[in-house]
Amino acid sequence: MPNARERFGPAPIIAIHILAAIGVIFWISTIVGAFVDGSRPWSVLIVGVILGGAHVLISRFTTLHSPRAIAAMWFVMIGDLLLAIFVNWQAIGLVCFTIVLLGLTRAPSARRWYTAAALKE
């Protein structure tokens, strides 16, 4: 029976999946909250689907050992930064969250994880 590392990946990869899931949950709750409050629900829905969808892609690309996950993280970083600058300064917390995601990709085990697909070809 494979151990957790073989089954799910090294700790930084598991953390990336967990943080991506938290990002999806954050956007779902933000969208629901916007519709309940009536505060620009359609704008929040559009942004939430785009950035929440990017979190789904981060997890999916990570599962596939694809470095496109890192590109998706940068997409989220830019989106969060634009939110912080133009919409609400409190979105800087989202930027920090994304910095953690990007930092996890720099761990040696995560770097090996993302290059594994290229080595198989």
Side-chain angles (χ1 to χ4, degrees), residues 7-83:
R7 187 168 178 206
F8 300 111
I13 296 303
I14 294 169
I16 288 169
H17 284 296
I18 291 169
L19 292 176
I22 291 169
V24 171
I25 292 167
F26 168 82
W27 282 109
I28 289 171
S29 66
T30 301
I31 291 167
V32 170
F35 275 92
V36 169
D37 294 344
S39 55
R40 298 185 313 191
W42 296 106
S43 299
V44 173
L45 177 67
I46 292 168
V47 172
V49 167
I50 292 169
L51 291 176
H55 282 85
V56 171
L57 288 176
I58 289 168
S59 186
R60 182 67 184 138
F61 287 149
T62 296
T63 299
L64 298 173
H65 297 258
S66 174
R68 289 183 285 180
I70 299 168
M73 290 177 203
W74 279 104
F75 177 81
V76 170
M77 169 73 93
I78 292 167
D80 291 345
L81 191 56
L82 291 172
L83 280 174

